[in-house]
């Protein structure tokens, strides 16, 4: 691990504040995190729910008020997206932010709406989960981000046999796109596509292994597939964890009881038997030791800390600041002032 960021699910409604407050708090939290040296501000995207939805306005507001922090998602649901328009937006934001965009995308998770992507105008899926439209959209999105011509030019303006790429084009953005992978198969597919891997907050597999060990296997298979594909750059890998340093009585009140709850969870989501990661809560020395024993955390280059947005900006900055000062340096962390996070070289 050489970088860490926060991952916000952006819940509102049940917390006592609304969408405006949630968005404004997300900006303020990102500004404070940037000053601490945190490497990334990432936001979960959900539709038809009182959470964060369309991410680009939020990421743009954050990028305008910060200097070094990476702005991104974890993840955008491709079932709901126009891939070429998303490529335009992402490139424009990347150019405005001097190359600080890192977008995680995937098929998406279960949504409150039944086949909600159809309400957005994206029909034709024969899969109850919509996976059969998500991956083709992602492939088209990546072509656009990479500058591949995707549209026939008007021959009256350009002559015959001309094709046009999506504009604007941001060189380097393609190297900062991630696929959110919940299985080893999707990890291998992401490697073949030449994109980074964002290992999910859960894995739709349950083999009896611990969550960290399952993720470490997934990372190993991803890197092996990347090497086999012959890509000419070093990819990045991220994992997500709930980590709460206990520094005072307030931390103890909120998270002290979780310090003894160190077991992974097994459950059913989207029809799959799935493994969920445990929560880490304890004093810094204890957290350092536990996270060093988490194989996936140590294999990944980026750790995303899931935060409790209902506790507000000040307290979440306390969590991030405590992790940055007392835990992260012992795990190999380099603050954002030292440059962008880089991937682990593949032997």
């Amino acid at each position: 691990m050489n970088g860490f960021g926060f991952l916000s699910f952006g819940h509102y409604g049940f917390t006592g504040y609304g969408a405006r407050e949630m968005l404004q708090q997300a900006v303020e939290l990102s500004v404070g995190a940037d000053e601490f040296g945190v490497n990334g501000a990432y936001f979960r995207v959900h539709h038809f729910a009182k959470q964060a939805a369309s991410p680009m306005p939020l990421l743009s507001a954050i990028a305008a008020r910060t200097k070094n922090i990476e702005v991104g998602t974890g993840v955008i649901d491709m079932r709901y997206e126009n891939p070429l328009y998303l490529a335009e937006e992402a490139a424009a934001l990347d150019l405005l932010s001097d190359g600080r965009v890192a977008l995680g995308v995937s098929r998406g998770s279960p949504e409150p709406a039944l086949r909600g992507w159809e309400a957005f105008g994206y029909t034709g899926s024969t899969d109850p989960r919509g996976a059969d439209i998500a991956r083709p959209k992602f492939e088209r999105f990546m072509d656009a981000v990479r500058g591949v011509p995707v549209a026939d030019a008007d021959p009256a303006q350009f002559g015959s046999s001309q094709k046009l790429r999506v504009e604007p084009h941001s060189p380097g953005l393609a190297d900062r796109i991630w696929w959110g992978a919940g299985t080893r198969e999707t990890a291998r597919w992401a490697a073949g596509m030449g994109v980074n891997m964002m290992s999910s907050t859960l894995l739709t597999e349950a083999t009896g292994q611990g969550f960290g060990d399952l993720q470490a296997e997934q990372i190993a298979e991803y890197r092996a597939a990347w090497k086999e594909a012959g890509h000419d750059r070093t990819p990045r890998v991220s994992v997500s964890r709930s980590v709460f340093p206990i520094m005072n009585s307030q931390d103890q009140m909120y998270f002290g009881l979780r310090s003894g709850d160190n077991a992974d969870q097994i459950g059913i989501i989207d029809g799959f038997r799935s493994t969920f990661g445990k929560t880490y809560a304890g004093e810094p020395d204890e957290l350092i030791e536990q996270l060093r024993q988490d194989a996936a955390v140590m294999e990944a280059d980026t750790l995303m800390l899931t935060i409790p947005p209902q506790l507000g900006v000040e307290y979440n900055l306390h969590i991030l600041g405590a992790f940055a000062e007392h835990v992260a340096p012992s795990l190999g962390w380099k603050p954002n002032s030292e440059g962008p996070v880089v991937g682990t070289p593949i032997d």
Side-chain angles (χ1 to χ4, degrees), residues 32 64 103 133 138 140 145 147 155 161 169-170 175 188 258 267 284 291:
L103 295 183
I133 63 173
F138 180 67
R140 188 160 175 77
V145 168
S161 303
H169 174 69
S170 182
D175 293 345
R188 293 189 294 269
R258 298 193 183 189
L291 291 170

Side-chain angles (χ1 to χ4, degrees), residues 187-209:
R188 293 189 294 269
W189 181 82
M193 285 291 297
V195 295
N196 303 315
M197 184 182 73
M198 188 173 285
S199 190
S200 177
T201 51
L202 61 90
L203 296 177
T204 53
E205 298 175 310
T207 65
Q209 295 173 277

